[in-house]
Amino acid sequence: MRAIWKGHIRFSMVTIPIRIYNAIDTAQKVQFNLLSKETNNPVKYEKRDKVTGDVLRQEDIVKGYQYEPGQFVIIEPDDFEKVKLKSTKVIEIEGFVDASEVHETLYDSPYFAGPDGDVASKTYALLSQALRESGKVGVGKVVLRDRESAVLLTPHDRGIMIHKLRFPDEVRSIKDVPNVRIEEEADEEQLKLANMLIKSMTKKFKKIELEDKYNDALREMIDNKIKGNEVVSYVEEEPEVVDIMTALKASIEQAKETKKPMKKAAKKSKEEEKEVKRKAS
């Protein structure tokens, strides 16, 4: 695994040299290139003036911030230099909090952090174990590509994961979603059945089969095209919408059926046992 960043984790007087690695394998997703229909050559995108249609070179383009519809203020390279943050290659831990305090909407990209060399391994392992035993996670900041990013350090197996975080003001409120009535109480009978259904369907996360069937179908289709075989198709059926009470009751019954213990094999009669022994001898 190749490191994408090298630096330090620092909290108080403790400094740990680390390397950061991508936790997500983007190669697992099928990706396509756009080609010309006539020549099969790759398509090149050109930057054009939306009004005149003229093709622009990179040096003909500037950055602008739209502060009103159709009104822009031009930002020059020197302006960016004035607000540029110095990259120190250090993740500064501001404090440790309960994991439950960090809402899941703040989580962004996950990365693995590993010790940079044998000397750092002992201190790295100490922090990992301390996080596991305390139930705390570290909240910090780091400067990446001239911008400050918030990060979260969490224990993962025997190692440490670093999650890039969104800033709280980036996340919208669920209250802004149409037709969501936060204060509305559910019907008691429906709520009782819903809780029964949730209880009957409760299982360990690792026992739930999660796979990207569409991605697998794409790979199979591509392999078949390469081999010159027939193309496979993938169609996902839409679920039938039924009355909520009917659906809840039927779901509970279905869950009960799947949890029924297997019937024990019936005991053989004495005559059958004698016959088995006779054939064996």
Side-chain angles (χ1 to χ4, degrees), residues 80-138:
F80 286 105
E81 288 296 323
K82 294 174 185 176
V83 296
K84 185 177 180 180
L85 297 173
K86 184 180 178 182
S87 178
T88 59
K89 291 286 186 178
V90 174
I91 297 175
E92 292 280 2
I93 303 301
E94 304 291 331
F96 296 91
V97 303
D98 290 332
S100 59
E101 292 183 56
V102 185
H103 197 270
E104 57 265 26
T105 55
L106 297 180
Y107 282 72
D108 198 347
S109 308
Y111 300 91
F112 292 133
D116 187 12
D118 294 336
V119 177
S121 295
K122 189 172 182 179
T123 314
Y124 172 91
L126 175 65
L127 176 59
S128 175
Q129 185 171 346
L131 290 173
R132 288 197 307 274
E133 293 185 1
S134 66
K136 304 293 183 183
V137 294

Side-chain angles (χ1 to χ4, degrees), residues 111-175:
Y111 300 91
F112 292 133
D116 187 12
D118 294 336
V119 177
S121 295
K122 189 172 182 179
T123 314
Y124 172 91
L126 175 65
L127 176 59
S128 175
Q129 185 171 346
L131 290 173
R132 288 197 307 274
E133 293 185 1
S134 66
K136 304 293 183 183
V137 294
V139 179
K141 296 177 182 177
V142 63
V143 177
L144 298 171
R145 297 177 182 174
D146 303 332
R147 302 195 67 167
E148 191 173 57
S149 297
V151 294
L152 189 75
L153 272 70
T154 64
H156 181 72
D157 291 338
R158 291 285 175 178
I160 296 173
M161 283 198 77
I162 293 181
H163 297 266
K164 186 178 176 184
L165 293 180
R166 301 179 182 92
F167 288 101
D169 59 2
E170 295 181 69
V171 181
R172 294 173 173 174
S173 173
I174 187 69
K175 295 179 182 179

Side-chain angles (χ1 to χ4, degrees), residues 165-228:
L165 293 180
R166 301 179 182 92
F167 288 101
D169 59 2
E170 295 181 69
V171 181
R172 294 173 173 174
S173 173
I174 187 69
K175 295 179 182 179
D176 296 332
V177 178
N179 301 319
V180 174
R181 301 177 179 88
I182 305 295
E183 298 82 9
E184 185 174 332
E185 292 291 333
D187 177 83
E188 287 189 12
E189 186 63 24
Q190 292 181 2
L191 183 60
K192 182 180 177 181
L193 291 173
N195 284 326
M196 288 174 61
L197 176 57
I198 290 172
K199 186 176 180 180
S200 67
M201 293 180 65
T202 298
K203 59 182 70 174
K204 294 290 184 182
F205 180 78
K206 63 183 179 181
K207 291 190 175 182
I208 297 177
E209 186 178 341
L210 296 176
E211 57 183 20
D212 190 342
K213 293 182 179 179
Y214 179 69
N215 196 68
D216 292 342
L218 278 178
R219 287 190 180 279
E220 186 177 352
M221 176 265 288
I222 291 168
D223 289 342
N224 284 330
K225 271 188 169 289
I226 293 171
K227 296 173 184 176

